[in-house]
Amino acid sequence: MNDQGTVLVTGGAGYIGSHAVWALREGGRRAVVVDDLSTGNRDLIPGDVTLVIADAGDRGRIEALIGEYGCTAVMHFAGSIVVGESVDKPLAYYANNAGVTLNLIRACLAGGVKRFVYSSTAAVYGQPDRLPIGEDAPTRPLNPYGHSKLMAERMLRDAAQAHGLQYAILRYFNVAGADPKGRTGQSSQRPTHLIKRACQSVLGLGDGIEIFGADYDTPDGTCVRDYLHVSDLAEAHLAALSHLGGGGESVILNCGYGGGASVRQVLAAVEAEAGVKMNPRQADRRPGDAAELVADAKRIKAVLDWQPRHDDLRYIVRTALAWERHLIACRSSAPAGP
Ligand code: UDP
């Protein structure tokens, strides 16, 4: 029988985590969110979902919460995600991504939680030898961010072997867009991701957009990425949970659609959706960027019967733009500060 216990969601008040919390609720699952609100926001989650403001790496606290809420599974979204920052502050990344996950796994084992869905990243692959990238491709991260995520993967796999934990490691490609119902979206104050920055740019925020490198060996010279809608990714988490709850094997799965769009194609989609021209500046390559990252999505579709609903760049951009407009409206209606 499929498990119906409470799901402890770390980082559930963040961008991807909050979409998963809404999806869990729509799927009839109970969730308790653990978030330190360092980047998350309580307004992004349903009002009737409990938010515990705590560090996901606080073993004693997490073990107590597991008992208190009857948790049978964990979705671990909390972590640090900015590649450039990870180069400047590697130890913070090893602490937040590897160290916290270590403590969380220990808390799960002590509390009797045996199902663990982990937010990993395509950054574990580094520069791929061939495309699309399958899960068995070599893992050769190019930066501390990718290394820290790969370390957490390793710990989960070894703990599973030794202690009977079941895991689903989900390696995200480029997550973008926002909840189609407008309940949550990417709210970071200092975004680095292309789609968010481009949407802000056409709405007159920021100081314009740059194309980081136009001399790559790709059809239009700019980098190609596999952009996937955040709601499809949230559904993949639910499907992973059901898979494990139904007794399925532990898995590592790429999360992407298996197609690619270049930076120029993304900017064209944003311009078309907004009806505004952008005049991007051409800048140097960003250190550490691979020319092309596209997922082989066969395994996730086969193992989880995952059927993405928003594999459409224009739709992804439309929801991202709607969310930016919502944020602007919220700011303009907020009372003026002191
Ligand atoms: N990019 C860009 N201008 C920006 C932000 C990103 O040209 O303002 C490029 C970046 O160099 C990469 C692609 O867009 O080739 C996607 O970058 P993003 O940071 O969104 O995701 P990443 O692939 O690094 O996870």
Side-chain angles (χ1 to χ4, degrees), residues 83 174 192-195 197 209-212 223-225 227 263 286 289-290 293:
V83 170
N174 286 63
T192 58
H193 288 138
L194 178 64
I195 290 185
R197 294 191 63 169
I209 192 92
E210 291 175 322
I211 296 176
F212 297 139
C223 291
V224 170
R225 296 287 182 272
Y227 294 93
V263 173
R286 197 172 63 175
D289 269 345
L293 294 174

Side-chain angles (χ1 to χ4, degrees), residues 91-111:
L91 300 182
Y93 273 67
Y94 291 120
N96 282 345
N97 293 342
V100 166
T101 305
L102 170 65
N103 285 338
L104 184 60
I105 294 171
R106 286 179 144 166
C108 285
L109 293 176

Side-chain angles (χ1 to χ4, degrees), residues 15-33:
Y15 171 46
I16 301 171
S18 62
H19 285 83
V21 171
W22 282 102
L24 282 165
R25 190 160 171 275
E26 279 173 7
R29 294 293 305 259
R30 282 189 307 279
V32 56
V33 171

